[in-house]
Amino acid sequence: MVDLRSIRSVGRAAFVAACAALLVAGPGCAKRNGAKSTTIMGDAEEALAAGNIGRAVSCLEKEIELNPRNPAPYLRLALVYEHIYKDPKKADAQYGRYLGIETSEAKREMVERWRRDLGTAAGAGDLPMLPEDGVAGDTSLARQLDEARRKLRETEKARDGFAQKLIALESVQDQLKQSQATVSRIKAELGTLKAGIEARDTSLAELQEAYDSLKAQGDTAQSTSTGEIARLERQIADLDAQNKTLSARNAELEDEQSRAGRRTLNDKLDEARTALKAAEKQNEQYARRIRELEARVVQLESGSSAATTITGDARAHVVREGETLRTISLKYFGTKDRWREIYDANRDVLPDPDHVRVGQKLIIPASGSR
């Protein structure tokens, strides 16, 4: 049997033709007595010579199963997958297994070159065969190899694989250009979004600062109003005490009237009544001041302007369900026609006189004001 590895100056494609040309007697892949590995390899080459590629592959796989450290079947399978089945993926796998076993650096270098050329134009041409020490002298085999090489060249020259690869490459380049344009557009959009986010952050910071300032002002005004209300409540308590004293004094005077005479008693009663009226008038002034301060508190709580003036008997009113400025005017003034006075006193919280909200606090001007 002629060993494929002993043939010089033969390409990978010619290896397959050489396999087909080797006729080795043997009944197939069945187990035989003697050296099983040699017999199975002979069966594989016999199947190749007969054109039975499936049987040859089966025998080579059987040889790998029996003798996994033999590199020869891996190399033959790689050549079959590459040149007969046109399956570069499986050919690459078998080349890899061969390289994992073969110890000859010269052979490894050559097969690695074949592996790199898988599926390329370089892989379709003739390549130097694995270097070996022996030389084959079979003239008939050499002629068959030359004929196989000639037919292989004629077939491979007719292929347009290289042109198809160029077309595919141009398509990939077009896709790359489109991708680059998309990336540029996305970068520009990201820059716009980033600028918008920065502007929004600045606006939020300004709004937060304004809110903090207004809140501090409101807290100060509320504290001042609370203190003023407490002072007025103390004054009212003092007035109540004075009223009680005057009432007691009035009782005394009445008692004196029964004892000292009507005229003198009437004079004293007149004095007491005058003092009582003065106290009641003062009490009324304090009560009006309390209402004004309560309305001022409502104004501050509703965020109204400090420039709004509250005078007279101004009162605070909380809007109820179904109420309008006309119904509120009727309630406080006895007529619906004075609704505009209420609107003018609350312009800072009522942008539209036809729309008032339930729960909204309004300032009702003094009844006598116009």
Side-chain angles (χ1 to χ4, degrees):
M1 181 178 67
V2 178
D3 191 344
L4 291 177
R5 294 176 300 169
S6 65
I7 304 173
R8 293 185 180 275
S9 301
V10 179
R12 285 180 297 163
F15 262 120
V16 181
C19 290
L22 294 173
L23 300 175
V24 181
C29 295
K31 293 183 179 180
R32 306 178 184 181
N33 296 329
K36 293 181 180 179
S37 176
T38 302
T39 302
I40 292 175
M41 288 298 293
D43 290 344
E45 292 170 357
E46 178 182 312
L48 285 172
N52 192 343
I53 307 304
R55 180 183 175 196
V57 170
S58 178
C59 290
L60 292 171
E61 290 175 347
K62 184 67 176 179
E63 167 62 19
I64 291 173
E65 180 182 353
L66 293 175
N67 189 10
R69 301 303 299 174
N70 180 14
Y74 296 108
L75 185 59
R76 284 167 170 74
L77 275 176
L79 293 170
V80 169
Y81 282 131
E82 181 180 3
H83 292 280
I84 296 179
Y85 286 137
K86 307 299 183 184
D87 191 337
K89 185 175 181 180
K90 289 185 177 180
D92 181 75
Q94 296 302 328
Y95 280 137
R97 293 176 182 176
Y98 171 84
L99 293 170
I101 298 172
E102 180 59 62
T103 58
S104 171
E105 289 299 327
K107 295 178 181 179
R108 286 174 56 82
E109 182 180 354
M110 184 64 69
V111 172
E112 285 174 352
R113 190 185 312 157
W114 295 353
R115 191 182 186 187
R116 287 194 300 270
D117 292 341
L118 270 174
T120 65
D126 288 340
L127 295 174
M129 190 194 163
L130 297 175
E132 189 66 37
D133 295 333
V135 179
D138 192 329
T139 305
S140 175
L141 179 60
R143 286 197 301 271
Q144 293 179 20
L145 289 175
D146 289 340
E147 181 66 16
R149 288 163 57 190
R150 184 185 63 79
K151 291 181 179 180
L152 182 62
R153 288 196 186 102
E154 291 176 355
T155 302
E156 291 176 343
K157 286 179 181 179
R159 294 178 181 175
D160 58 349
F162 185 69
Q164 292 176 355
K165 289 181 181 179
L166 287 177
I167 294 173
L169 180 59
E170 291 175 353
S171 175
V172 171
Q173 290 176 339
D174 292 339
Q175 293 176 2
L176 180 59
K177 290 179 180 178
Q178 294 175 0
S179 299
Q180 291 174 342
T182 302
V183 169
S184 299
R185 179 178 56 80
I186 291 175
K187 285 183 177 179
E189 292 177 357
L190 286 175
T192 302
L193 289 174
K194 183 178 179 182
I197 290 172
E198 291 176 352
R200 185 201 63 181
D201 291 342
T202 302
S203 298
L204 286 175
E206 293 174 352
L207 289 174
Q208 182 65 41
E209 183 179 355
Y211 169 79
D212 293 340
S213 176
L214 290 174
K215 186 175 183 300
Q217 294 176 9
D219 292 342
T220 302
Q222 184 176 6
S223 176
T224 302
S225 300
T226 302
E228 184 68 14
I229 290 172
R231 185 183 64 80
L232 291 174
E233 287 177 346
R234 289 193 299 270
Q235 291 181 357
I236 291 172
D238 293 340
L239 288 174
D240 288 339
Q242 292 177 13
N243 285 335
K244 289 179 182 179
T245 302
L246 289 173
S247 297
R249 181 59 179 164
N250 188 35
E252 292 176 358
L253 290 174
E254 288 177 354
D255 185 60
E256 288 180 6
Q257 183 182 15
S258 64
R259 289 184 287 107
R262 176 151 316 260
R263 185 173 182 177
T264 303
L265 183 58
N266 285 337
D267 292 340
K268 291 182 179 181
L269 284 173
D270 289 339
E271 293 177 0
R273 289 190 184 99
T274 301
L276 182 59
K277 287 181 180 179
E280 288 176 348
K281 184 175 182 180
Q282 187 178 8
N283 191 23
E284 183 180 358
Q285 291 176 353
Y286 282 129
R288 183 166 59 252
R289 177 60 177 163
I290 288 172
R291 289 196 298 272
E292 292 176 357
L293 288 172
E294 288 176 346
R296 176 60 177 164
V297 170
V298 171
Q299 184 182 37
L300 289 172
E301 290 179 349
S302 62
S304 60
S305 171
T308 303
T309 302
I310 304 172
T311 60
D313 297 327
R315 290 152 289 180
H317 176 77
V318 179
V319 179
R320 297 179 180 177
E321 183 70 31
E323 287 187 330
T324 65
L325 293 183
R326 292 181 180 275
T327 60
I328 296 172
S329 173
L330 179 63
K331 177 179 179 180
Y332 287 95
F333 303 130
T335 175
K336 295 181 179 180
D337 297 335
R338 297 183 65 180
W339 65 269
R340 182 169 292 279
E341 296 177 35
I342 302 175
Y343 172 62
D344 291 339
N346 296 274
R347 281 181 177 271
D348 50 354
V349 296
L350 286 178
D352 186 349
D354 295 329
H355 294 86
V356 293
R357 300 191 306 275
V358 176
Q360 193 172 23
K361 294 181 180 180
L362 303 179
I363 298 170
I364 308 300
S367 300
S369 63
R370 281 284 181 174

